[in-house]
Amino acid sequence: MGQSRQDVAELCGRLYATLEALERIGTGSGALGRPGAWQKVISNGPRDKFQRLLRHVGEQVHAAKAWHGEARSAAATELFRALPGFIPTGGIPTGNFGEEQREAFARGHTAQRSAYEEQFGALLS
């Protein structure tokens, strides 16, 4: 049985939060955490936008390992390993998210972001 549209959207929200945390830990940048950034990702074909974000994962893990010390290196490795668990079974959708999917995405993003803030604390600043 496939995943519901809401389950897919929630996973995408969790995936985005993971990419956001990895960006912050690996590069110190917070571009993905800017207000309105995630809304742009899920509009007009989120698959392409997520694929572009995923292309930078290796750079972020490398930066954390090479330049930012053991704690950031370990956190980046953990985030990297979590990524596959947040990719929906059928892949990331190509079409726009409707209102229910946007709400599910926001729920997933908020929940995962909160979990990372609790787990990694100061590393995210």
Side-chain angles (χ1 to χ4, degrees):
M1 181 170 224
Q3 296 171 317
S4 73
R5 294 175 66 104
Q6 283 74 21
D7 290 344
V8 167
E10 185 174 335
L11 279 173
C12 287
R14 290 179 182 276
L15 175 61
Y16 188 85
T18 304
L19 292 169
E20 180 183 345
L22 184 56
E23 175 190 56
R24 289 168 65 191
I25 287 172
T27 66
S29 169
L32 295 179
R34 290 185 185 141
W38 67 262
Q39 289 89 340
K40 291 178 185 174
V41 170
I42 62 172
S43 299
N44 302 316
R47 179 181 290 165
D48 293 338
K49 292 175 182 136
F50 269 108
Q51 285 175 338
R52 282 194 295 273
L53 293 173
L54 287 165
R55 284 187 196 115
H56 297 286
V57 166
E59 296 166 10
Q60 293 163 349
V61 172
H62 177 267
K65 288 184 172 290
W67 308 111
H68 297 296
E70 189 61 35
R72 286 184 187 267
S73 175
T77 299
E78 188 171 335
L79 291 167
F80 176 77
R81 288 181 178 154
L83 288 170
F86 297 126
I87 296 175
T89 303
I92 298 166
T94 57
N96 294 343
F97 282 16
E99 188 59 36
E100 290 178 1
Q101 289 79 35
R102 287 176 181 266
E103 290 172 9
F105 183 100
R107 277 193 311 274
H109 177 256
T110 300
Q112 198 62 44
R113 187 176 189 184
S114 294
Y116 289 145
E117 286 173 359
E118 184 176 316
Q119 182 177 3
F120 299 121
L123 295 177
L124 293 171
S125 54

